[in-house]
Amino acid sequence: MKNQNVKETVKKIFTEYLTVHGHRKTPERYAILDTIYSISGHFDIDKLYTVMAEEEKFRVSRATLYNTLILLINARGVTIQTPVHSQVPTIHTLHSTIRHNWMAQILLIS
């Protein structure tokens, strides 16, 4: 239930962000947001692509995934972090950020 509330809050924030910045509110963008918030734990772009294609039966291009992630990062709906032990950035939802008591900020470590 708590995760659903967080997802709805992020959806509202994302919608406001898209409106203010003149971006289209497409079904693909909202499907990506829903999928992101349905995955438990941290994940990378490849897992997101796989889950959308195989489990959600919703095919989007990798370009659409990356572009939507950029919009979600800018809207503060997700964060990106590259763990010290890995070269692959992982995606964190606002729910996981709150659950782990992390600050809601973008961490891009190259």
Side-chain angles (χ1 to χ4, degrees):
M1 181 69 167
K2 186 176 181 181
N3 190 31
Q4 184 64 29
N5 291 338
V6 172
K7 183 166 72 170
E8 288 304 316
T9 300
V10 171
K11 188 174 183 177
K12 288 178 187 176
I13 292 168
F14 189 47
T15 300
E16 289 174 20
Y17 177 85
L18 294 173
T19 301
V20 167
H21 291 88
H23 297 289
R24 294 181 304 131
K25 295 177 264 320
T26 65
E28 291 83 5
R29 288 179 176 156
Y30 289 108
I32 292 167
L33 176 65
D34 285 340
T35 303
I36 286 172
Y37 276 84
S38 71
I39 298 173
S40 179
H42 314 302
F43 55 93
D44 61 20
I45 194 79
D46 292 324
K47 180 171 181 175
L48 177 59
Y49 183 81
T50 301
V51 169
M52 290 206 67
E54 294 175 4
E55 295 176 25
E56 301 294 327
K57 305 296 185 209
F58 200 103
R59 290 215 177 263
V60 294
S61 69
R62 288 186 187 271
T64 299
L65 285 178
Y66 280 106
N67 290 332
T68 301
L69 279 174
I70 290 168
L71 293 173
L72 282 165
I73 290 166
N74 291 338
R76 304 290 195 244
V78 297
T79 60
I80 303 292
Q81 185 175 34
T82 304
V84 175
H85 63 280
S86 173
Q87 296 298 315
V88 179
T90 57
I91 301 162
H92 302 266
T93 62
L94 186 58
H95 181 260
S96 67
T97 302
I98 291 169
R99 186 177 64 230
H100 289 81
N101 198 24
W102 294 329
M103 292 179 60
Q105 62 182 343
I106 301 169
L107 301 172
L108 294 175
I109 303 169
S110 44

